Amino acid sequence: MFLEHKYNIPELVRRCKAGERKAQELLYKQFASKMLGVCCRYAKDKMEAEDMVQNGFIKVFQKINDFRGEGSFEGWIRRIMVHASIEYYRKHNRMMQLADLEEADSEASGNPLAIAKLEANDLLVLIQQLSPGYRIVFNLYAIDGYSHKEIAAIVGITEGASKSQLSRARSILREQVTKMERKIYGYAG
Amino acid sequence: MDMQDKEFDEVFRSKLEDFESEPAGHVWPAIEQGLNSSNKRKTLLPWLSAAASVVIMATAAGVLVFTRHGAVAHIPVKPVMSQTPGSTNTGLVAANPVHSQGSGTRPDASRRQDRSGYQTIPGRIIAKNAPANNIDTMPARSGVYKQGDAGLTGNIAHQQITTSKAVVPDKDVQLTASSVTDLALKATPDHIASPVTAMIKTDTAKVKQRHKIHSFGDLVNLVVDKVDKSKDKLIVFSKDDEDDAHITNVNLGAVKTKKGE
């Protein structure tokens, strides 16, 4: 991508804290692709993900003075992106649209070996097809490693709701994986 | 089943955790723009709040000036005051029943007018002003009896006070009293109406205190005082100068708290 060489992150952070625009741009270029990768999982398509990244980076530069250098900067900026993605849905009032979802086929097994053959892009498409509520909970728990307690706090739902949404999300994904495998590899079942 | 779920999640995690995608070229300019506008907001905010407080102060001042102005305009006392002690028996007399009794110099006709004057006053106002009237008139009488001739100027001053209290609608009573009080104090020799002046002085002090605005709390107190005439105000801030915005009294109907003064 943009980068010809790596920048010294602590130095960039220091300059960003001083409000230096050039440093902000360099920091953005350093992390933009990774963070768009994060937001893509939370969004329904790339355009929405770019909006989330945009909001997230504005937050990053506004709050950069809060970063004390404890823990990795990438972890910090990643958390801000996750929050920005959830905030995006909260703002657009699409947080918990669960009803309009196609019923999951509970019989779908989702053969792990078969899933393993799917490419990252295929899996991403499956996640993006989930409704926002399921997508957010699945991402937070399965990929970003948040606990149900943390999810409940971040999303503003109960732990029970988080658990049930996760299991619903999984069963939908299993079904979709099976469908996709059939389509791609011509499996009989 | 649990294991299977973990495996399932693990497949997604391993493939998507480090997923990257290059953003379109318009994203950075949009971020820059967002940062610029948020900076502008930050620099504008103090100016906006300053402007807002100026507007509040101006409005409060306007309310004060207009209510004071309006109150004075409605009092029949004003023409009387310009008439000086020599010709007291016009206009003013009609509105002052108590004093005419006290001095004994008023014709009966005026007393009848007084009665009608009282009847037009809403009962609530009379009730509210009753103690004030008593306090004002009692010393006035004694002043007259003791001092004889010298009582004239004092009487007029008292007249003005009692008049304004009896006639003016309760909303304006205190303000009017304060404006009349200054004149009354000048016109009244201290030895005649010392009890009255004492009363007046405390009254004036109260009024003046109300008008001192040192803090946000004072401003709120003033505005609430204007709007809410009940004994337990909607909200009252402490009058302590040290304490900036310390709520001492809240009355929201169902919710009532009151801290000791």
Side-chain angles (χ1 to χ4, degrees):
Chain A
M1 53 166 287
F2 314 87
L3 295 174
E4 274 74 41
H5 65 280
K6 294 272 177 189
Y7 292 91
N8 178 355
I9 298 300
E11 175 66 11
L12 274 184
V13 170
R14 191 191 57 75
R15 285 164 62 194
C16 285
K17 283 184 177 177
E20 205 182 301
R21 184 50 49 86
K22 187 67 196 163
Q24 290 175 337
E25 188 173 358
L26 289 173
L27 196 79
Y28 165 76
K29 286 182 173 175
Q30 182 86 38
F31 288 103
S33 293
K34 275 186 185 175
M35 294 311 131
L36 187 61
V38 172
C39 291
C40 272
R41 288 188 276 116
Y42 284 86
K44 75 174 194 301
D45 53 32
K46 195 177 172 185
M47 262 177 62
E48 209 173 74
E50 282 174 342
D51 283 350
M52 292 168 174
V53 161
Q54 185 185 317
N55 296 341
F57 268 103
I58 291 173
K59 280 256 163 63
V60 164
F61 294 128
Q62 284 172 342
K63 293 184 166 189
I64 199 153
N65 282 310
D66 296 349
F67 178 68
R68 304 267 171 235
E70 303 149 1
S72 84
F73 183 73
E74 188 176 329
W76 183 76
I77 195 172
R78 204 176 257 266
R79 277 195 297 281
I80 289 187
M81 290 301 154
V82 169
H83 280 260
S85 302
I86 294 164
E87 189 61 28
Y88 180 88
Y89 278 109
R90 197 170 279 148
K91 261 190 189 158
H92 290 73
N93 207 15
R94 282 181 278 178
M95 190 58 207
M96 288 300 150
Q97 284 176 357
L98 303 175
D100 59 345
L101 208 76
E102 68 277 24
E103 274 302 304
D105 180 359
S106 52
E107 299 299 312
S109 63
N111 180 347
L113 287 174
I115 296 171
K117 286 178 189 163
L118 291 174
E119 296 296 319
N121 267 321
D122 298 329
L123 297 181
L124 181 67
V125 168
L126 293 182
I127 289 179
Q128 287 181 333
Q129 284 172 350
L130 291 171
S131 76
Y134 292 160
R135 189 161 64 228
I136 286 168
V137 173
F138 183 77
N139 265 306
L140 286 171
Y141 186 90
I143 300 175
D144 291 312
Y146 287 81
S147 70
H148 283 297
K149 198 176 177 181
E150 289 168 322
I151 293 169
I154 296 169
V155 180
I157 53 176
T158 64
E159 276 185 59
S162 173
K163 281 175 188 167
S164 72
Q165 286 198 45
L166 175 68
S167 95
R168 292 280 294 131
R170 276 197 195 118
S171 58
I172 293 163
L173 284 172
R174 279 180 210 278
E175 187 202 13
Q176 297 302 322
V177 163
T178 309
K179 275 186 191 167
M180 193 173 262
E181 284 165 347
R182 278 182 195 145
K183 205 165 89 186
I184 294 173
Y185 302 106
Y187 284 172
Chain B
M1 188 65 192
D2 248 7
M3 199 53 211
Q4 219 180 346
D5 279 347
K6 271 188 185 168
E7 258 177 273
F8 185 81
D9 291 354
E10 184 53 37
V11 174
F12 277 85
R13 182 177 10 247
S14 62
K15 295 212 170 184
L16 289 176
E17 199 174 30
D18 297 320
F19 180 78
E20 291 188 20
S21 172
E22 195 172 320
H26 65 82
V27 177
W28 171 249
I31 292 169
E32 242 183 335
Q33 206 184 334
L35 288 171
N36 285 340
S37 67
S38 76
N39 277 351
K40 249 183 227 167
R41 232 176 291 144
K42 264 184 194 168
T43 50
L44 269 178
L45 199 67
W47 289 106
L48 277 176
S49 54
S53 51
V54 167
V55 169
I56 291 170
M57 293 298 277
T59 313
V63 167
L64 272 177
V65 166
F66 279 111
T67 46
R68 185 179 277 235
H69 197 72
V72 172
H74 284 97
I75 306 167
V77 168
K78 212 176 180 183
V80 177
M81 298 215 297
S82 65
Q83 279 176 359
T84 64
S87 53
T88 6
N89 57 349
T90 57
L92 171 66
V93 186
N96 187 6
V98 188
H99 180 75
S100 60
Q101 287 171 351
S103 65
T105 56
R106 308 290 170 226
D108 279 351
S110 71
R111 212 179 285 170
R112 258 177 265 126
Q113 280 178 330
D114 298 341
R115 252 182 259 122
S116 65
Y118 255 121
Q119 280 155 8
T120 58
I121 299 165
R124 202 163 69 88
I125 293 167
I126 294 174
K128 200 172 179 180
N129 289 331
N133 273 341
N134 290 342
I135 292 158
D136 281 350
T137 49
M138 286 302 287
R141 261 186 220 143
S142 64
V144 170
Y145 294 142
K146 281 176 194 164
Q147 302 297 331
D149 289 346
L152 184 57
T153 49
N155 286 340
I156 289 153
H158 297 169
Q159 235 172 23
Q160 288 159 355
I161 297 157
T162 47
T163 302
S164 61
K165 291 212 171 178
V167 174
V168 176
D170 67 338
K171 191 180 162 207
D172 298 319
V173 165
Q174 280 170 304
L175 278 176
T176 319
S178 76
S179 61
V180 175
T181 303
D182 292 340
L183 291 160
L185 282 172
K186 281 174 200 158
T188 313
D190 277 349
H191 63 279
I192 294 173
S194 50
V196 180
T197 38
M199 277 299 298
I200 290 163
K201 272 174 186 164
T202 53
D203 204 28
T204 318
K206 265 184 209 161
V207 171
K208 276 189 180 165
Q209 195 186 11
R210 274 161 32 107
H211 288 237
K212 274 185 200 163
I213 298 171
H214 291 308
S215 65
F216 173 73
D218 289 341
L219 180 64
V220 173
N221 281 348
L222 181 77
V223 174
V224 170
D225 205 34
K226 280 277 147 200
V227 177
D228 187 359
K229 292 291 176 189
S230 62
K231 194 182 156 215
D232 290 330
K233 306 285 186 205
L234 190 68
I235 188 164
V236 177
F237 283 83
S238 76
K239 286 158 191 156
D240 194 353
D241 283 350
E242 317 275 311
D243 221 357
D244 215 22
H246 184 64
I247 299 170
T248 55
N249 192 4
V250 176
N251 178 14
L252 298 171
V255 185
K256 256 189 205 182
T257 61
K258 189 168 188 179
K259 288 183 185 169
E261 298 278 25

